[in-house]
Amino acid sequence: DTGVSQNPRHKITKRGQNVTFRCDPISEHNRLYWYRQTLGQGPEFLTYFQNEAQLEKSRLLSDRFSAERPKGSFSTLEIQRTEQGDSAMYLCASSLGWDTRAVAEAFFGQGTRLTVV
Amino acid sequence: EDKVVQSPLSLVVHEGDTVTLNCSYEVTNFRSLLWYKQEKKAPTFLFMLTSSGIEKKSGRLSSILDKKELSSILNITATQTGDSAIYLCAVEGGGETSGSRLTFGEGTQLTVNP
């Protein structure tokens, strides 16, 4: 386990289809974060988990988006009825603990690039 | 709503030049300011600053936080082509219910030409 792993790396889907992304955090990291990054912008916070509990969701996370972390290990992010505006890089990060240093040094995965056509 | 603004958005320099990147923020209950470097994919952590006036240094990179002015700068001296990347500024803050999420700026795209 050398880092945060995200799958797939790229996803092209037709508008209206559902997509699911997976994130495998670094082993024993209890915090897991999802961010979305569009071209020319910094990452935007979507949601985060402390173990299996989803502690916060951004209002960016509409009812078409849902995230789970059923056993406190890997997480999935599902987008239903995709729209072209959902095209972005979806980044996952994990950290051990919740103090400021741990949050700052959260390790990011390589991201899943979603293109909705 | 927390807000982070970076400037310039884009910068092109020659190898050996010194650059200064700026970051200003508005955040509730400031906890820390962070700098990241993003090349092709994932952001990588550079610095974390929590106190004003304390300069963080790592080789040719250094950063200072000014909590009075709600801003920070990132300096890179003797730039190299390998410094070409997007530099992201982020702040950690928010109320008791906001947890530990980060608010990122748009980033500064730095291009160092040989």
Side-chain angles (χ1 to χ4, degrees), chain B residues 62-87:
Chain B
S62 63
S63 182
I64 298 176
L65 173 66
D66 186 336
K67 289 176 78 172
K68 184 177 179 182
E69 295 297 325
L70 306 181
S71 64
S72 174
I73 60 171
L74 175 68
N75 281 319
I76 308 175
T77 60
T79 51
Q80 302 171 356
T81 55
D83 295 328
S84 296
I86 297 171
Y87 289 84

Side-chain angles (χ1 to χ4, degrees), chain B residues 12-34:
Chain B
V12 180
V13 300
H14 292 290
E15 264 193 317
D17 288 350
T18 294
V19 298
T20 298
L21 311 182
N22 302 287
C23 175
S24 62
Y25 60 89
E26 295 175 22
V27 63
T28 304
N29 296 331
F30 173 89
R31 295 177 188 170
S32 64
L33 184 143
L34 310 154

Side-chain angles (χ1 to χ4, degrees), chain A residues 66-99:
Chain A
S66 62
E68 294 182 342
R69 195 183 183 197
K71 297 183 180 178
S73 56
F74 73 90
S75 176
T76 58
L77 177 68
E78 180 183 14
I79 309 174
Q80 296 181 325
R81 304 182 303 282
T82 52
E83 302 172 356
Q84 286 188 320
D86 298 331
S87 296
M89 174 79 82
Y90 289 84
L91 292 165
C92 175
S94 71
S95 67
L96 180 63
W98 49 88
D99 60 87

Side-chain angles (χ1 to χ4, degrees), chain B residues 34-111:
Chain B
L34 310 154
W35 285 96
Y36 291 84
K37 179 181 182 182
Q38 186 174 29
E39 296 178 82
K40 296 289 186 182
K41 300 290 184 182
T44 53
F45 172 76
L46 293 175
F47 296 118
M48 181 181 76
L49 303 112
T50 56
S51 301
S52 279
I54 297 179
E55 184 178 11
K56 294 273 187 167
K57 287 186 176 181
S58 176
R60 296 178 294 101
L61 275 67
S62 63
S63 182
I64 298 176
L65 173 66
D66 186 336
K67 289 176 78 172
K68 184 177 179 182
E69 295 297 325
L70 306 181
S71 64
S72 174
I73 60 171
L74 175 68
N75 281 319
I76 308 175
T77 60
T79 51
Q80 302 171 356
T81 55
D83 295 328
S84 296
I86 297 171
Y87 289 84
L88 295 165
C89 175
V91 293
E92 184 196 7
E96 289 301 316
T97 61
S98 67
S100 300
R101 60 180 164 88
L102 300 176
T103 300
F104 285 85
E106 294 173 288
T108 293
Q109 173 73 64
L110 175 65
T111 302

Side-chain angles (χ1 to χ4, degrees), chain A residues 26-58:
Chain A
I26 294 173
S27 295
E28 299 180 357
H29 275 194
N30 47 18
R31 280 250 166 144
L32 186 147
Y33 314 80
W34 284 100
Y35 287 83
R36 181 177 67 187
Q37 187 173 22
T38 53
L39 199 61
Q41 300 293 320
E44 296 173 297
F45 169 81
L46 293 178
T47 188
Y48 82 89
F49 293 84
Q50 172 77 22
N51 298 314
E52 67 275 9
Q54 189 173 19
L55 296 186
E56 186 179 354
K57 294 192 295 185
S58 164

